[in-house]
Amino acid sequence: MDGLTQARIIEEERLSVAELVRHARMGWHLLVIGALIGTAAALLAVRLAQPQFTAQMVVGPIARIGPAAMGPKLPTLSGGAGRSITEPGPGDEALSDFARFLRLLGSVPVAQRLAGNGSLMPGIFHRSWDAGTGSWKPPGGLVPAARRLLLWLAGRTGWVPPDAQALSEHLRTNLVVEALGGGPMQRISYRHQDRALAMAVVAGVHAAADRALRAEAARRVLAEIEYVRARLTEVTHTEHRRALVALLAEQERLRMMIDVDLPFAADAIETVTAPVLPDWPDPLVLVPFGGLAGFMATLFWVYGRAALLSGRR
């Protein structure tokens, strides 16, 4: 490509930019109208949307050392044969109690524990709750009615009252868990139109997942204790009995530590909080964005119209 061709291309680009600027100046009133329409649409959306509160808490693995720590959770058995109480390394993170805790959030076992709370289910599934009769009802609206009709035509049940499975699906969709700074701490957040209910859901999910892990650990330890006790009735060798007695004593210590009324897998670094005023939708973000979107849409329309007229000529 010679210098003359490059100069011609640069000149054509300058002419194109100049044409775009000229068309934008000619249609400035349209751009203003588009920005105003976008702003008005955003304001209308904010007014029509149901204000919601975002409740959140920060959790992290249970500390083993430090003033606020609960100490080693699992005692080391005599002779070095005990379970490891060291913090999991990068390759062992999937095996830690905290990783299991994060996995349980939004699971059916956790939802089953939350479903026992008589105030949470009606608040979460308020569209299906009749406060007057205190009973469940099919949700109103065109979309739910059409869904029930299609299921009925397909020979399936169109609607059932919300249960633990429905609550689990709701939590998986609406519960947000995000890592903070690439470290082990995680932020759990949930948004709802009722501030108190949003905070109760976050606190309830944390407590239910932690209790589920505590119950599983207690179940395993009790099973091990029963097994060792049964073996003691059968073993007569002195050394073997001494080893079983030591093992039973360590298991009893472990059972007592599990029963301590402290978080088992996830400690609340920051307790549940929620803003006093609704934080969603945020008009300070949506309204300017709506105005900008209206401006850009009108700008593309002006340029497209100019290009179409130029092509016809």
Side-chain angles (χ1 to χ4, degrees):
M1 183 180 295
D2 55 16
L4 182 60
T5 304
Q6 289 182 351
R8 185 178 300 140
I9 292 175
I10 294 174
E11 185 66 24
E12 290 178 355
E13 290 179 352
R14 288 178 179 174
L15 289 174
S16 300
V17 173
E19 282 289 319
L20 292 177
V21 174
R22 185 175 66 85
H23 286 298
R25 287 178 177 177
M26 292 175 58
W28 66 269
H29 57 288
L30 297 177
L31 298 178
V32 172
I33 293 174
L36 291 176
I37 292 175
T39 302
L43 282 172
L44 180 62
V46 171
R47 291 295 297 270
L48 294 179
Q50 178 69 49
Q52 295 185 352
F53 303 83
T54 302
Q56 61 182 10
M57 72 181 303
V58 177
V59 299
I62 294 297
R64 299 290 184 263
I65 58 176
M70 64 177 287
K73 183 172 59 179
L74 305 181
T76 304
L77 301 185
S78 58
R83 303 174 182 178
S84 172
I85 60 173
T86 59
E87 292 293 335
D92 300 327
E93 185 65 27
L95 302 177
S96 68
D97 287 333
F98 187 64
R100 291 187 174 96
F101 166 83
L102 295 177
R103 193 66 172 175
L104 280 175
L105 298 178
S107 64
V108 174
V110 168
Q112 287 175 339
R113 291 173 177 265
L114 288 181
N117 189 324
S119 61
L120 288 184
M121 291 292 284
I124 293 174
F125 300 101
H126 57 91
R127 291 187 178 88
S128 299
W129 179 254
D130 189 345
T133 61
S135 60
W136 296 104
K137 65 176 182 179
L142 181 60
V143 175
R147 181 177 181 274
R148 291 194 298 270
L149 176 60
L150 290 177
L151 291 175
W152 179 77
L153 292 175
R156 298 173 57 185
T157 303
W159 179 83
V160 294
D163 55 3
Q165 183 65 42
L167 180 57
S168 174
E169 295 175 1
H170 174 83
L171 293 176
R172 291 180 185 274
T173 303
N174 296 277
L175 199 69
V176 179
V177 182
E178 55 182 343
L180 297 180
M185 290 189 297
Q186 305 280 330
R187 178 186 289 116
I188 305 172
S189 58
Y190 176 80
R191 182 176 293 160
H192 196 269
Q193 62 190 27
D194 187 335
R195 179 176 181 270
L197 186 137
M199 297 178 66
V201 168
V202 174
V205 166
H206 168 259
D210 199 78
R211 288 170 185 167
L213 288 172
R214 184 195 301 274
E216 176 62 19
R219 184 187 68 84
R220 289 176 175 272
V221 170
L222 287 175
E224 293 170 356
I225 290 175
E226 292 297 327
Y227 175 78
V228 175
R229 286 176 177 173
R231 291 291 296 163
L232 278 172
T233 61
E234 302 172 357
V235 175
T236 57
H237 192 276
T238 305
E239 292 297 328
H240 291 174
R241 288 186 60 84
R242 185 180 295 113
L244 287 176
V245 169
L247 179 61
L248 181 61
E250 295 293 346
Q251 294 297 327
E252 291 289 355
R253 286 176 51 197
L254 177 55
R255 177 183 178 183
M256 287 188 295
M257 295 187 71
I258 290 176
D259 290 339
V260 175
D261 188 18
L262 288 172
F264 180 81
D267 204 357
I269 309 300
E270 295 181 10
T271 56
V272 184
T273 59
V276 178
L277 298 177
D279 61 335
W280 188 93
D282 188 356
L284 298 179
V285 175
L286 292 181
V287 173
F289 178 79
L292 179 61
F295 178 86
M296 294 302 298
T298 308
L299 185 62
F300 284 124
W301 180 82
V302 168
Y303 288 161
R305 181 172 177 272
L308 181 60
L309 293 177
S310 300
R312 289 181 180 178
R313 288 199 299 264

